[in-house]
Amino acid sequence: MPNINTNTEKIYIVKVPSDNLSLTYNTDRLKQFIYSFTQSRTVDACLDEDNCLGNYPIVSCESSTPKIVIQEGNETKSYKDQNCIFLQANSSKDLSKMTERATYKILEIMD
């Protein structure tokens, strides 16, 4: 799991729409944790207009503000691309595990 920078005013949370994953539950759980245990506030955002589920800001991995992107994928993994940390899962169960692992990483309990 890549390091998640929590020494910042805000962290963008990006949910890439999926029919197969429980994005809202896992995203809300991660946002609540970040709010409770760090100095950062979370802001919902999108990476592009086509996959945006609301009137959220469009952000880029190139900008300096950290972003956590939660998405469905063929395999379960986490990786970093510029200033985005991607949590990718192929099932809701795996996404829940990825969210917990990110929580532990922020607390510096596990790598």
PDB file of all heavy atoms in Angstrom, residues 51-75:
ATOM      1  N   ASN A  51     -17.602  10.215 -15.827  1.00  0.00           N
ATOM      2  CA  ASN A  51     -17.840   9.268 -14.743  1.00  0.00           C
ATOM      3  C   ASN A  51     -18.164   9.955 -13.423  1.00  0.00           C
ATOM      4  O   ASN A  51     -17.916   9.404 -12.365  1.00  0.00           O
ATOM      5  CB  ASN A  51     -16.606   8.365 -14.562  1.00  0.00           C
ATOM      6  CG  ASN A  51     -16.422   7.434 -15.728  1.00  0.00           C
ATOM      7  OD1 ASN A  51     -17.365   6.810 -16.183  1.00  0.00           O
ATOM      8  ND2 ASN A  51     -15.202   7.347 -16.227  1.00  0.00           N
ATOM      9  N   CYS A  52     -18.729  11.143 -13.488  1.00  0.00           N
ATOM     10  CA  CYS A  52     -19.023  11.906 -12.283  1.00  0.00           C
ATOM     11  C   CYS A  52     -20.469  11.676 -11.856  1.00  0.00           C
ATOM     12  O   CYS A  52     -21.393  11.838 -12.658  1.00  0.00           O
ATOM     13  CB  CYS A  52     -18.766  13.389 -12.540  1.00  0.00           C
ATOM     14  SG  CYS A  52     -18.552  14.332 -11.041  1.00  0.00           S
ATOM     15  N   LEU A  53     -20.650  11.284 -10.591  1.00  0.00           N
ATOM     16  CA  LEU A  53     -21.986  10.968 -10.079  1.00  0.00           C
ATOM     17  C   LEU A  53     -22.667  12.148  -9.410  1.00  0.00           C
ATOM     18  O   LEU A  53     -23.668  11.979  -8.745  1.00  0.00           O
ATOM     19  CB  LEU A  53     -21.891   9.808  -9.071  1.00  0.00           C
ATOM     20  CG  LEU A  53     -21.404   8.485  -9.633  1.00  0.00           C
ATOM     21  CD1 LEU A  53     -21.255   7.466  -8.512  1.00  0.00           C
ATOM     22  CD2 LEU A  53     -22.369   7.971 -10.693  1.00  0.00           C
ATOM     23  N   GLY A  54     -22.142  13.325  -9.554  1.00  0.00           N
ATOM     24  CA  GLY A  54     -22.742  14.496  -8.925  1.00  0.00           C
ATOM     25  C   GLY A  54     -22.058  15.759  -9.400  1.00  0.00           C
ATOM     26  O   GLY A  54     -21.254  15.751 -10.325  1.00  0.00           O
ATOM     27  N   ASN A  55     -22.359  16.845  -8.730  1.00  0.00           N
ATOM     28  CA  ASN A  55     -21.764  18.133  -9.057  1.00  0.00           C
ATOM     29  C   ASN A  55     -20.506  18.326  -8.213  1.00  0.00           C
ATOM     30  O   ASN A  55     -20.459  19.154  -7.314  1.00  0.00           O
ATOM     31  CB  ASN A  55     -22.783  19.249  -8.806  1.00  0.00           C
ATOM     32  CG  ASN A  55     -22.314  20.567  -9.351  1.00  0.00           C
ATOM     33  OD1 ASN A  55     -21.424  20.619 -10.200  1.00  0.00           O
ATOM     34  ND2 ASN A  55     -22.888  21.646  -8.855  1.00  0.00           N
ATOM     35  N   TYR A  56     -19.490  17.514  -8.501  1.00  0.00           N
ATOM     36  CA  TYR A  56     -18.247  17.522  -7.744  1.00  0.00           C
ATOM     37  C   TYR A  56     -17.138  18.151  -8.578  1.00  0.00           C
ATOM     38  O   TYR A  56     -17.192  18.133  -9.801  1.00  0.00           O
ATOM     39  CB  TYR A  56     -17.837  16.094  -7.360  1.00  0.00           C
ATOM     40  CG  TYR A  56     -18.878  15.371  -6.544  1.00  0.00           C
ATOM     41  CD1 TYR A  56     -19.440  14.179  -6.993  1.00  0.00           C
ATOM     42  CD2 TYR A  56     -19.305  15.873  -5.318  1.00  0.00           C
ATOM     43  CE1 TYR A  56     -20.393  13.519  -6.241  1.00  0.00           C
ATOM     44  CE2 TYR A  56     -20.258  15.219  -4.569  1.00  0.00           C
ATOM     45  CZ  TYR A  56     -20.793  14.038  -5.036  1.00  0.00           C
ATOM     46  OH  TYR A  56     -21.735  13.390  -4.291  1.00  0.00           O
ATOM     47  N   PRO A  57     -16.094  18.637  -7.904  1.00  0.00           N
ATOM     48  CA  PRO A  57     -14.967  19.184  -8.664  1.00  0.00           C
ATOM     49  C   PRO A  57     -14.261  18.093  -9.457  1.00  0.00           C
ATOM     50  O   PRO A  57     -14.189  16.944  -9.029  1.00  0.00           O
ATOM     51  CB  PRO A  57     -14.053  19.774  -7.590  1.00  0.00           C
ATOM     52  CG  PRO A  57     -14.471  19.145  -6.309  1.00  0.00           C
ATOM     53  CD  PRO A  57     -15.896  18.740  -6.464  1.00  0.00           C
ATOM     54  N   ILE A  58     -13.758  18.472 -10.620  1.00  0.00           N
ATOM     55  CA  ILE A  58     -12.956  17.567 -11.445  1.00  0.00           C
ATOM     56  C   ILE A  58     -11.498  17.796 -11.039  1.00  0.00           C
ATOM     57  O   ILE A  58     -11.018  18.929 -11.067  1.00  0.00           O
ATOM     58  CB  ILE A  58     -13.150  17.857 -12.949  1.00  0.00           C
ATOM     59  CG1 ILE A  58     -14.637  17.813 -13.331  1.00  0.00           C
ATOM     60  CG2 ILE A  58     -12.334  16.879 -13.785  1.00  0.00           C
ATOM     61  CD1 ILE A  58     -15.337  16.504 -13.094  1.00  0.00           C
ATOM     62  N   VAL A  59     -10.823  16.718 -10.636  1.00  0.00           N
ATOM     63  CA  VAL A  59      -9.441  16.823 -10.182  1.00  0.00           C
ATOM     64  C   VAL A  59      -8.531  15.973 -11.062  1.00  0.00           C
ATOM     65  O   VAL A  59      -8.991  15.097 -11.788  1.00  0.00           O
ATOM     66  CB  VAL A  59      -9.302  16.399  -8.703  1.00  0.00           C
ATOM     67  CG1 VAL A  59     -10.083  17.339  -7.793  1.00  0.00           C
ATOM     68  CG2 VAL A  59      -9.743  14.961  -8.500  1.00  0.00           C
ATOM     69  N   SER A  60      -7.264  16.247 -10.956  1.00  0.00           N
ATOM     70  CA  SER A  60      -6.261  15.542 -11.734  1.00  0.00           C
ATOM     71  C   SER A  60      -5.213  14.962 -10.796  1.00  0.00           C
ATOM     72  O   SER A  60      -4.899  15.555  -9.763  1.00  0.00           O
ATOM     73  CB  SER A  60      -5.602  16.528 -12.705  1.00  0.00           C
ATOM     74  OG  SER A  60      -4.416  16.003 -13.223  1.00  0.00           O
ATOM     75  N   CYS A  61      -4.663  13.832 -11.154  1.00  0.00           N
ATOM     76  CA  CYS A  61      -3.586  13.235 -10.359  1.00  0.00           C
ATOM     77  C   CYS A  61      -2.330  14.092 -10.387  1.00  0.00           C
ATOM     78  O   CYS A  61      -1.457  13.934  -9.544  1.00  0.00           O
ATOM     79  CB  CYS A  61      -3.277  11.820 -10.855  1.00  0.00           C
ATOM     80  SG  CYS A  61      -4.604  10.645 -10.533  1.00  0.00           S
ATOM     81  N   GLU A  62      -2.244  15.001 -11.327  1.00  0.00           N
ATOM     82  CA  GLU A  62      -1.075  15.871 -11.453  1.00  0.00           C
ATOM     83  C   GLU A  62      -1.048  16.981 -10.402  1.00  0.00           C
ATOM     84  O   GLU A  62       0.017  17.454 -10.045  1.00  0.00           O
ATOM     85  CB  GLU A  62      -1.027  16.476 -12.847  1.00  0.00           C
ATOM     86  CG  GLU A  62      -0.845  15.441 -13.929  1.00  0.00           C
ATOM     87  CD  GLU A  62      -1.103  15.987 -15.325  1.00  0.00           C
ATOM     88  OE1 GLU A  62      -1.514  17.162 -15.464  1.00  0.00           O
ATOM     89  OE2 GLU A  62      -0.891  15.227 -16.280  1.00  0.00           O
ATOM     90  N   SER A  63      -2.226  17.406  -9.910  1.00  0.00           N
ATOM     91  CA  SER A  63      -2.245  18.487  -8.920  1.00  0.00           C
ATOM     92  C   SER A  63      -1.699  17.985  -7.587  1.00  0.00           C
ATOM     93  O   SER A  63      -1.715  16.794  -7.298  1.00  0.00           O
ATOM     94  CB  SER A  63      -3.659  19.041  -8.750  1.00  0.00           C
ATOM     95  OG  SER A  63      -4.502  18.084  -8.154  1.00  0.00           O
ATOM     96  N   SER A  64      -1.222  18.893  -6.764  1.00  0.00           N
ATOM     97  CA  SER A  64      -0.499  18.512  -5.544  1.00  0.00           C
ATOM     98  C   SER A  64      -1.385  17.989  -4.413  1.00  0.00           C
ATOM     99  O   SER A  64      -0.895  17.297  -3.536  1.00  0.00           O
ATOM    100  CB  SER A  64       0.321  19.699  -5.042  1.00  0.00           C
ATOM    101  OG  SER A  64      -0.540  20.767  -4.699  1.00  0.00           O
ATOM    102  N   THR A  65      -2.665  18.306  -4.402  1.00  0.00           N
ATOM    103  CA  THR A  65      -3.549  17.823  -3.347  1.00  0.00           C
ATOM    104  C   THR A  65      -3.726  16.317  -3.474  1.00  0.00           C
ATOM    105  O   THR A  65      -4.024  15.815  -4.553  1.00  0.00           O
ATOM    106  CB  THR A  65      -4.921  18.518  -3.427  1.00  0.00           C
ATOM    107  OG1 THR A  65      -4.729  19.933  -3.392  1.00  0.00           O
ATOM    108  CG2 THR A  65      -5.819  18.104  -2.276  1.00  0.00           C
ATOM    109  N   PRO A  66      -3.555  15.560  -2.374  1.00  0.00           N
ATOM    110  CA  PRO A  66      -3.681  14.100  -2.463  1.00  0.00           C
ATOM    111  C   PRO A  66      -5.104  13.661  -2.792  1.00  0.00           C
ATOM    112  O   PRO A  66      -6.074  14.313  -2.403  1.00  0.00           O
ATOM    113  CB  PRO A  66      -3.269  13.606  -1.077  1.00  0.00           C
ATOM    114  CG  PRO A  66      -3.039  14.781  -0.232  1.00  0.00           C
ATOM    115  CD  PRO A  66      -3.191  16.011  -1.044  1.00  0.00           C
ATOM    116  N   LYS A  67      -5.181  12.543  -3.498  1.00  0.00           N
ATOM    117  CA  LYS A  67      -6.471  11.968  -3.875  1.00  0.00           C
ATOM    118  C   LYS A  67      -6.449  10.470  -3.614  1.00  0.00           C
ATOM    119  O   LYS A  67      -5.441   9.812  -3.836  1.00  0.00           O
ATOM    120  CB  LYS A  67      -6.762  12.221  -5.355  1.00  0.00           C
ATOM    121  CG  LYS A  67      -7.142  13.659  -5.636  1.00  0.00           C
ATOM    122  CD  LYS A  67      -6.722  14.140  -6.998  1.00  0.00           C
ATOM    123  CE  LYS A  67      -5.321  14.514  -7.202  1.00  0.00           C
ATOM    124  NZ  LYS A  67      -4.679  15.582  -6.535  1.00  0.00           N
ATOM    125  N   ILE A  68      -7.571   9.952  -3.127  1.00  0.00           N
ATOM    126  CA  ILE A  68      -7.760   8.511  -3.003  1.00  0.00           C
ATOM    127  C   ILE A  68      -8.858   8.144  -3.980  1.00  0.00           C
ATOM    128  O   ILE A  68      -9.971   8.666  -3.903  1.00  0.00           O
ATOM    129  CB  ILE A  68      -8.142   8.102  -1.571  1.00  0.00           C
ATOM    130  CG1 ILE A  68      -7.027   8.491  -0.595  1.00  0.00           C
ATOM    131  CG2 ILE A  68      -8.427   6.596  -1.507  1.00  0.00           C
ATOM    132  CD1 ILE A  68      -7.359   8.251   0.864  1.00  0.00           C
ATOM    133  N   VAL A  69      -8.530   7.272  -4.925  1.00  0.00           N
ATOM    134  CA  VAL A  69      -9.470   6.869  -5.971  1.00  0.00           C
ATOM    135  C   VAL A  69      -9.911   5.443  -5.680  1.00  0.00           C
ATOM    136  O   VAL A  69      -9.080   4.545  -5.557  1.00  0.00           O
ATOM    137  CB  VAL A  69      -8.812   6.946  -7.368  1.00  0.00           C
ATOM    138  CG1 VAL A  69      -9.802   6.543  -8.451  1.00  0.00           C
ATOM    139  CG2 VAL A  69      -8.268   8.349  -7.629  1.00  0.00           C
ATOM    140  N   ILE A  70     -11.214   5.247  -5.560  1.00  0.00           N
ATOM    141  CA  ILE A  70     -11.775   3.927  -5.276  1.00  0.00           C
ATOM    142  C   ILE A  70     -12.490   3.456  -6.522  1.00  0.00           C
ATOM    143  O   ILE A  70     -13.395   4.138  -7.024  1.00  0.00           O
ATOM    144  CB  ILE A  70     -12.721   3.993  -4.066  1.00  0.00           C
ATOM    145  CG1 ILE A  70     -11.928   4.500  -2.851  1.00  0.00           C
ATOM    146  CG2 ILE A  70     -13.354   2.650  -3.802  1.00  0.00           C
ATOM    147  CD1 ILE A  70     -12.766   4.764  -1.637  1.00  0.00           C
ATOM    148  N   GLN A  71     -12.078   2.283  -7.021  1.00  0.00           N
ATOM    149  CA  GLN A  71     -12.630   1.814  -8.288  1.00  0.00           C
ATOM    150  C   GLN A  71     -12.668   0.297  -8.372  1.00  0.00           C
ATOM    151  O   GLN A  71     -11.972  -0.400  -7.648  1.00  0.00           O
ATOM    152  CB  GLN A  71     -11.808   2.364  -9.452  1.00  0.00           C
ATOM    153  CG  GLN A  71     -10.382   1.845  -9.507  1.00  0.00           C
ATOM    154  CD  GLN A  71      -9.573   2.464 -10.624  1.00  0.00           C
ATOM    155  OE1 GLN A  71      -9.961   3.451 -11.229  1.00  0.00           O
ATOM    156  NE2 GLN A  71      -8.422   1.884 -10.911  1.00  0.00           N
ATOM    157  N   GLU A  72     -13.479  -0.179  -9.309  1.00  0.00           N
ATOM    158  CA  GLU A  72     -13.542  -1.602  -9.622  1.00  0.00           C
ATOM    159  C   GLU A  72     -12.441  -1.941 -10.614  1.00  0.00           C
ATOM    160  O   GLU A  72     -12.065  -1.112 -11.448  1.00  0.00           O
ATOM    161  CB  GLU A  72     -14.898  -1.929 -10.239  1.00  0.00           C
ATOM    162  CG  GLU A  72     -15.080  -3.389 -10.582  1.00  0.00           C
ATOM    163  CD  GLU A  72     -16.457  -3.687 -11.152  1.00  0.00           C
ATOM    164  OE1 GLU A  72     -17.180  -2.752 -11.547  1.00  0.00           O
ATOM    165  OE2 GLU A  72     -16.805  -4.864 -11.193  1.00  0.00           O
ATOM    166  N   GLY A  73     -11.906  -3.148 -10.514  1.00  0.00           N
ATOM    167  CA  GLY A  73     -10.883  -3.594 -11.450  1.00  0.00           C
ATOM    168  C   GLY A  73     -10.882  -5.104 -11.555  1.00  0.00           C
ATOM    169  O   GLY A  73     -11.579  -5.795 -10.813  1.00  0.00           O
ATOM    170  N   ASN A  74     -10.101  -5.627 -12.472  1.00  0.00           N
ATOM    171  CA  ASN A  74     -10.010  -7.071 -12.665  1.00  0.00           C
ATOM    172  C   ASN A  74      -9.280  -7.764 -11.526  1.00  0.00           C
ATOM    173  O   ASN A  74      -9.439  -8.957 -11.317  1.00  0.00           O
ATOM    174  CB  ASN A  74      -9.308  -7.397 -13.988  1.00  0.00           C
ATOM    175  CG  ASN A  74     -10.144  -6.970 -15.174  1.00  0.00           C
ATOM    176  OD1 ASN A  74     -11.365  -6.938 -15.106  1.00  0.00           O
ATOM    177  ND2 ASN A  74      -9.483  -6.628 -16.264  1.00  0.00           N
ATOM    178  N   GLU A  75      -8.442  -7.014 -10.814  1.00  0.00           N
ATOM    179  CA  GLU A  75      -7.718  -7.578  -9.692  1.00  0.00           C
ATOM    180  C   GLU A  75      -7.754  -6.591  -8.530  1.00  0.00           C
ATOM    181  O   GLU A  75      -8.006  -5.405  -8.714  1.00  0.00           O
ATOM    182  CB  GLU A  75      -6.280  -7.908 -10.070  1.00  0.00           C
ATOM    183  CG  GLU A  75      -5.466  -6.712 -10.505  1.00  0.00           C
ATOM    184  CD  GLU A  75      -4.049  -7.085 -10.903  1.00  0.00           C
ATOM    185  OE1 GLU A  75      -3.349  -7.726 -10.104  1.00  0.00           O
ATOM    186  OE2 GLU A  75      -3.651  -6.726 -12.020  1.00  0.00           O
TER     187      GLU A  75
END
